[in-house]
Amino acid sequence: MDTFEKFGQMALAVALFVGVMGAILLLVGRARRRADLWQSLAFVLPALLLLGVGLIYPAVRTIYQSFFDRTSDEFVGVDNFTEIFTNSDMLIVLRNTAIWVILTPLLATFIGLVYAVLVDRSRVEAAAKAVIFMPMAISLVGASIIWRYVYEYRPDQQNIEQVGLLNQVLVWLGMEPRHFLVDTPWNTLFLIVIMVWVQAGFAMTVLSAAIKAIPSDITEAAQLDGLTGVRMFRYITVPSIRPALVVVLTTISIGTLKVFDIVRTLTGGNFDTSVIANEFYTQGFSLGDTGLASALAVMLFVLVIPIVAYNVRQLRKAELR
Amino acid sequence: MTAAIPTPALQDELATVTPATITGRTRKRLTSRWASLVALIIAVLWTLPTFGLLLTSFRPERDIRTSGWWNWFGDPQLTLANYDEVLYGGSSLSTYFINSLVITVPSVIIPVSIACLAAYAFAWMRFPFRDTLFVAVFALQIVPLQVALIPLLRIYVDTGVNGTFWPLWISHTIFALPLAIFLLHNFFKEVPGELMEAARVDGAGHVTIFLRVMLPLVTPAIAAFAIFQFLWVWNDLLVAITMATGAQDVQPLTARLAELVGSRGSTWHLLSAGAFVSIVIPVIVFLLLQRYFVRGLLAGSVKG
């Protein structure tokens, strides 16, 4: 396909879509006022059909397939799930996922919060925030490549210079360069750093808005009582923005649970760095084990639910106050 | 990305998240020298990696292979050769760049239009099971994409559209709908009912009201979601590598770059320029439409 043909296809798809939608609206517009039900159907049916065929049916099918073998031919009961919880490689995947989901939200939120407090109402606030927020606009693949150049390792020999910034820093400090992405178990931490780098901006933005919403009489009263610096942060700022903190923490943890781009791009899940979302891709699309992949997807689903439930409850509480 | 719907209260707060909100208040200096130092360190840590990539992408191939970007300050040589090869050369990434564009445009227009119709219906039309259906659509937001991918691919293979752009367009459309319908519904709902009644009395049907009254009023909300969806699709890797099975014909830039990272050897010097090309579009969008972007991103940080 050449470029012209591709754009042609794109134009055709959009035109086709606009045509169909236009026809629906035209027909509905002509209908008599009485035909209310038909009008409603014309408005919601496209969306509901797509969701039914493209999300609900596949989800049910995936749950069904998770009880079958790799080709979906033979019923195997809970064997796929048993494997996830007993196979030593899978246990490492579960351990890594736990580390990701716990560390990423905590670190990103902490850094985002500290930074939001530090730059709050300073003269350079807008620029300072844009700097931290910018990584959110970058794809995780792009972020991974950026950090690939930070972690790059060259053997420690004469005439060979380090190309990665972090290893160069180690060399400057008189230490040996390291394989940051290969040496287990620390490599998982270096991958998590990338996700923290991306998510801190999100935390900072939401928390900064929450901080600005703290009534000034509270902060002023605290100041009169002699509260400053770290103690102000600990006793006034943090308790005042608790609901926002919970939202940020849970949002980032759900995102982290499902994210696989960084692991996929930088290690492909090798060197004991795989997580559930990456293992799903490896099993389902590289190794063709539909049963195990489906079981992993179901695991993701099941793990998301309690976090969302907690989040919704917190939001309710926040609304009731 | 992921799932939490901002409450109305939080949304109000978020609405004020623009760099200019603090004009008028007294601006003080950073509380103390230590505080400024910590803030500065964080800011440097957050920019240095990106800056390194930018500088690397302009260095000659041999330099990139043999020394780090900081050596540039001792031996300042810049070249556009990497970009030249990335955009026009034999191992060209330009075809993937075009694929990304071709994938993204319909993947924004189609779901936004379908979601507008559905959101309007859920907000202002009466039909059986309306509220139940709306709650169901709302709840679908928490379904991780992974749960749908394998059977969805099966459907594409069975219907013979596999290897074309259609699986990508359709998948992105479907995955965008729950969040889009929910958000737009909230905005449609905020339009005063008197406007609806007035239009009704004038004899306008739902289609006229939708097109002439509603759409112009919620355009900012639609724009916010469209921008968010644009960035989501442009930056996506999961849907790309599972659904873009026609390789060079349909694979987007992210998927190609992810492949290149693995195959080190001959393309190492192209990676930096290629990555920058892929980053530039969302960053431009970010700079130009920051206000919309922040709102859209915050509201949609729930998707996935």
Side-chain angles (χ1 to χ4, degrees):
Chain A
M1 258 196 290
D2 61 8
T3 308
F4 186 71
E5 210 176 320
K6 284 175 185 167
F7 279 116
Q9 281 201 17
M10 178 179 96
L12 191 72
V14 173
L16 197 69
F17 173 74
V18 170
V20 172
M21 288 311 240
I24 292 177
L25 284 180
L26 201 70
L27 278 176
V28 172
R30 288 267 176 86
R32 282 176 300 141
R33 296 264 320 250
R34 288 277 132 222
D36 241 19
L37 183 64
W38 287 108
Q39 294 195 11
S40 320
L41 279 181
F43 272 71
V44 286
L45 223 49
L48 293 183
L49 273 179
L50 277 170
L51 287 174
V53 176
L55 210 52
I56 297 174
Y57 161 75
V60 172
R61 173 107 200 138
T62 296
I63 295 171
Y64 175 79
Q65 281 174 344
S66 68
F67 297 106
F68 283 76
D69 68 347
R70 51 185 302 129
T71 50
S72 303
D73 290 326
E74 212 169 306
F75 182 75
V76 294
V78 293
D79 279 11
N80 291 319
F81 293 95
T82 317
E83 177 159 359
I84 294 175
F85 287 104
T86 51
N87 181 313
S88 61
D89 287 339
M90 285 294 168
L91 286 176
I92 291 176
V93 169
L94 292 184
R95 180 203 68 188
N96 289 342
T97 309
I99 298 175
W100 272 83
V101 172
I102 293 167
L103 277 188
T104 312
L106 289 179
L107 288 175
T109 310
F110 178 73
I111 294 172
L113 175 60
V114 167
Y115 194 76
V117 171
L118 291 181
V119 301
D120 190 42
R121 287 187 229 172
S122 72
R123 269 175 301 179
V124 291
E125 181 170 347
K129 281 178 161 178
V131 163
I132 307 295
F133 192 64
M134 193 76 88
M136 287 227 73
I138 297 173
S139 66
L140 287 174
V141 174
S144 302
I145 293 172
I146 288 173
W147 283 85
R148 184 80 167 79
Y149 282 84
V150 174
Y151 291 147
E152 179 64 2
Y153 166 86
R154 291 290 151 94
D156 188 19
Q157 290 164 13
Q158 285 252 301
N159 304 325
I160 293 191
E161 282 190 65
Q162 290 302 321
V163 175
L165 180 61
L166 204 52
N167 270 320
Q168 181 65 62
V169 170
L170 287 187
V171 170
W172 278 331
L173 295 174
M175 289 187 269
E176 299 237 316
R178 323 182 19 167
H179 264 302
F180 288 106
L181 297 175
V182 175
D183 299 339
T184 47
W186 301 107
N187 48 3
T188 291
L189 291 185
F190 290 111
L191 292 175
I192 288 175
V193 164
I194 303 174
M195 190 66 176
V196 171
W197 184 73
V198 172
Q199 293 291 339
F202 168 73
M204 188 262 312
T205 313
V206 177
L207 296 176
S208 173
I211 289 170
K212 289 190 190 305
I214 300 176
S216 54
D217 44 342
I218 294 184
T219 46
E220 276 159 21
Q223 268 165 355
L224 285 179
D225 288 345
L227 227 54
T228 51
V230 177
R231 291 178 62 219
M232 180 77 150
F233 178 74
R234 168 77 186 76
Y235 294 108
I236 302 296
T237 313
V238 173
S240 306
I241 60 169
R242 219 187 83 84
L245 273 175
V246 171
V247 171
V248 169
L249 281 170
T250 50
T251 305
I252 297 179
S253 55
I254 298 168
T256 308
L257 195 56
K258 295 189 250 175
V259 97
F260 88 126
D261 313 40
I262 296 172
V263 172
R264 184 88 238 146
T265 308
L266 288 179
T267 65
N270 296 314
F271 320 119
D272 289 351
T273 55
S274 196
V275 291
I276 294 180
N278 180 67
E279 203 58 24
F280 160 81
Y281 179 80
T282 309
Q283 296 295 339
F285 293 87
S286 306
L287 304 176
D289 190 337
T290 307
L292 192 53
S294 300
L296 286 162
V298 171
M299 281 280 298
L300 273 187
F301 196 5
V302 169
L303 287 173
V304 168
I305 292 172
I307 310 180
V308 173
Y310 178 74
N311 201 350
V312 169
R313 264 188 53 198
Q314 290 296 320
L315 285 173
R316 284 258 174 78
K317 266 196 216 161
E319 269 170 19
L320 285 178
R321 282 196 316 162
Chain B
M1 315 244 292
T2 338
I5 304 304
T7 57
L10 189 57
Q11 277 176 344
D12 287 345
E13 282 172 25
L14 300 181
T16 65
V17 186
T18 50
T21 50
I22 41 165
T23 46
R25 284 202 222 174
T26 43
R27 305 203 170 194
K28 58 169 195 211
R29 282 189 204 184
L30 290 175
T31 11
S32 72
R33 200 163 293 176
W34 282 110
S36 339
L37 187 66
V38 172
L40 189 68
I41 289 174
I42 296 178
V44 168
L45 283 178
W46 254 250
T47 22
L48 209 56
T50 318
F51 175 75
L53 183 81
L54 178 64
L55 195 52
T56 302
S57 69
F58 285 107
R59 298 179 76 212
E61 178 182 349
R62 213 183 61 85
D63 290 8
I64 295 178
R65 287 173 185 284
T66 53
S67 65
W69 55 265
W70 51 91
N71 288 295
W72 178 84
F73 295 101
D75 174 25
Q77 284 188 43
L78 290 181
T79 171
L80 285 170
N82 300 324
Y83 284 94
D84 196 39
E85 184 163 357
V86 158
L87 294 175
Y88 309 109
S91 55
S92 167
L93 288 177
S94 62
T95 173
Y96 300 98
F97 187 80
I98 286 162
N99 290 346
S100 278
L101 272 179
V102 171
I103 291 168
T104 308
V105 173
S107 299
V108 173
I109 296 177
I110 299 178
V112 168
S113 316
I114 295 180
C116 275
L117 282 178
Y120 173 79
F122 281 123
W124 292 107
M125 292 169 111
R126 270 191 224 126
F127 53 94
F129 306 114
R130 183 184 75 172
D131 296 340
T132 319
L133 283 170
F134 182 66
V135 171
V137 170
F138 171 74
L140 280 178
Q141 285 182 90
I142 68 164
V143 176
L145 301 193
Q146 281 88 349
V147 172
L149 289 176
I150 296 177
L152 206 50
L153 187 59
R154 185 83 247 152
I155 296 177
Y156 295 136
V157 172
D158 289 346
T159 50
V161 294
N162 204 24
T164 68
F165 286 111
W166 286 101
L168 290 146
W169 292 331
I170 299 172
S171 306
H172 281 303
T173 298
I174 293 167
F175 298 149
L177 283 178
L179 178 67
I181 294 175
F182 173 71
L183 283 181
L184 293 174
H185 165 270
N186 291 354
F187 286 107
F188 276 117
K189 199 85 198 168
E190 279 174 18
V191 174
E194 296 87 68
L195 275 176
M196 289 279 302
E197 285 311 314
R200 276 259 174 87
V201 171
D202 288 348
H206 278 300
V207 174
T208 318
I209 297 176
F210 173 71
L211 292 175
R212 298 271 165 77
V213 181
M214 286 292 173
L215 281 190
L217 287 174
V218 294
T219 305
I222 295 173
F225 182 78
I227 292 162
F228 170 74
Q229 173 70 3
F230 170 83
L231 291 165
W232 206 87
V233 175
W234 183 271
N235 288 339
D236 160 80
L237 179 68
L238 179 60
V239 178
I241 60 173
T242 49
M243 299 295 169
T245 41
Q248 201 175 355
D249 275 345
V250 296
Q251 206 178 28
L253 202 50
T254 45
R256 179 62 185 156
L257 286 172
E259 271 180 18
L260 285 182
V261 182
S263 67
R264 323 214 355 202
S266 58
T267 52
W268 178 242
H269 64 290
L270 295 181
L271 202 53
S272 54
F276 231 87
V277 168
S278 85
I279 288 170
V280 138
I281 297 264
V283 168
I284 288 175
V285 170
F286 164 77
L287 290 177
L288 291 182
L289 304 163
Q290 198 171 359
R291 175 188 293 257
Y292 286 131
F293 179 85
V294 171
R295 275 196 225 172
L297 194 69
L298 291 177
S301 53
V302 177
K303 183 179 163 175

